[in-house]
Amino acid sequence: SQAPVSRFSRLRAMLAGPDLSFLMEAHSGLSAKIVEEAGFQGIWGSGLSMSAALGLRDNNEASWSQVLEQVEYMADATSLPILLDGDTGHGNFNNVRRFVRKLCERGVAGVCIEDKLFPKTNSFIGEAQPLADMEEFCGRIRAGKDSQTDDDFSIVARIEALISGHSMDEALRRAEAYHQAGADAILIHSKKRTANEIIGFMERWGNRCPVVIVPTMYYGTPTDAFRKAGVSTIIWANHLVRASITAMRTTAAHIHADQSLTQVEGRVASVKDIFALMDNDELETAGDRYLPVT
Ligand code: SPV
Ligand code: MG
């Protein structure tokens, strides 16, 4: 029998392996379970979605320790590796060090940090958001790598140059610097409606290190185009929180209008389904083992 492969190594293998991998967004223990049930091999702990689930904006309104607590529920709820959206790292190199140590402790397989300033703003809001100084950001990456307590913990360095209106040359210059600083992968982000920017980046970047993308805005591009371009990992970044907003709205509206449950019963998950997802059977059998026989 094979030794169990740690979540750290599994995320690293997804990033570094030759096949295109997929990370599906989750924002809670429940949504993390749904991701696993669907068959995904890994989770994206989205900052936008985790914030929204708390009723907060994607502006570092949740403190880093609150994010840590939330991702811990996700890690406990599943066996999947989690790549956590670490935003800017919640400060400078020193904040990244402590954050990375704590993530390793909680079994979170990797963190993605972006080259912007604290407090961050979601990439799809406004134009020309200021970028971090490249060298300073490299220090954040190096500090994170020096602080990980599991050899296979991954740091993904996210490049916001294209989003912020800088040139492809600037994006490539930063990618090279972050790669040299020890990032296990880079994430090149784009908010264009087509994938031209991403494909162009891939052509020039070659195969120097794994590349992660987030096709939220250029969703119309066939996935095979990214596979052919040599992308390592695709993040489906926010679709479970968005799906839940739609489902909750419809359900709440029906119940409010009808003052009755008849419209919704049968269209929502059953209470039994909740018990199954939370593995209530396990509690039953544990009770048989540990409770006194009456
Ligand atoms: C997130 O899911 O929080 C992300 C991806 O960082 S994006 O919203 O595209 O910036
Ligand atoms: Mg984010």
Side-chain angles (χ1 to χ4, degrees):
S1 76
Q2 283 184 321
V5 179
S6 81
R7 296 202 254 200
F8 297 99
S9 347
R10 278 184 278 146
L11 177 64
R12 182 63 71 76
M14 288 174 81
L15 292 171
D19 297 332
L20 181 62
S21 302
F22 301 94
L23 297 174
M24 181 73 212
E25 171 257 319
H27 49 272
S28 61
L30 172 59
S31 55
K33 281 178 187 286
I34 302 286
V35 170
E36 182 157 25
E37 190 182 63
F40 284 97
Q41 302 294 304
I43 291 173
W44 167 244
S46 157
L48 172 68
S49 304
M50 290 168 71
S51 301
L54 293 173
L56 298 176
R57 289 169 285 217
D58 190 14
N59 294 73
N60 292 126
E61 290 185 338
S63 71
W64 74 268
S65 59
Q66 289 172 328
V67 171
L68 185 70
E69 197 164 292
Q70 206 177 353
V71 77
E72 187 174 16
Y73 281 108
M74 291 157 61
D76 288 348
T78 68
S79 65
L80 294 182
I82 300 172
L83 176 63
L84 177 69
D85 181 352
D87 294 332
T88 60
H90 300 270
N92 73 359
F93 79 93
N94 192 38
N95 304 92
V96 172
R97 292 198 296 190
R98 187 160 157 74
F99 196 37
V100 165
R101 281 200 300 273
K102 289 293 166 188
L103 292 176
C104 288
E105 222 174 78
R106 310 291 162 101
V108 177
V111 71
C112 176
I113 55 173
E114 62 199 49
D115 56 359
K116 292 202 311 212
L117 307 174
F118 181 92
K120 61 77 59 74
T121 302
N122 185 272
S123 299
F124 302 139
I125 295 177
E127 299 297 329
Q129 290 185 23
L131 299 184
D133 173 80
M134 189 180 82
E135 292 301 334
E136 186 275 329
F137 190 73
C138 286
R140 282 187 238 171
I141 297 168
R142 286 189 284 109
K145 289 309 291 175
D146 287 345
S147 305
Q148 67 188 52
T149 54
D150 189 291
D151 286 346
D152 289 331
F153 183 83
S154 296
I155 295 189
V156 177
R158 166 166 157 180
I159 299 150
E160 288 282 298
L162 300 177
I163 292 264
S164 287
H166 295 269
S167 64
M168 183 63 74
D169 283 348
E170 178 63 11
L172 286 156
R173 190 174 78 92
R174 285 176 174 259
E176 184 61 28
Y178 303 162
H179 170 48
Q180 293 299 332
D184 299 288
I186 54 157
L187 188 160
I188 183 70
H189 207 7
S190 168
K191 60 177 180 183
K192 292 280 195 299
R193 282 290 175 173
T194 73
N196 296 353
E197 244 176 22
I198 296 294
I199 302 295
F201 179 92
M202 292 305 297
E203 279 166 4
R204 288 183 60 188
W205 179 248
N207 206 11
R208 291 221 276 294
C209 81
V211 177
V212 181
I213 63 167
V214 187
T216 302
M217 290 300 169
Y218 47 95
Y219 62 85
T221 307
T223 297
D224 228 29
F226 300 125
R227 193 176 274 116
K228 289 200 181 89
V231 167
S232 151
T233 301
I234 290 181
I235 291 175
W236 310 122
N238 49 41
H239 302 78
L240 291 194
V241 83
R242 288 164 59 188
S244 74
I245 290 169
T246 306
M248 287 193 287
R249 273 203 183 120
T250 308
T251 305
H254 273 306
I255 296 174
H256 181 255
D258 301 349
Q259 298 189 345
S260 160
L261 301 176
T262 51
Q263 280 286 316
V264 305
E265 197 51 58
R267 295 213 241 160
V268 294
S270 66
V271 173
K272 266 193 178 156
D273 197 351
I274 303 177
F275 297 151
L277 277 164
M278 302 307 143
D279 199 8
N280 276 62
D281 283 353
E282 190 279 335
L283 181 56
E284 191 94 356
T285 53
D288 293 344
R289 280 201 307 282
Y290 299 121
L291 289 172
V293 181
T294 50

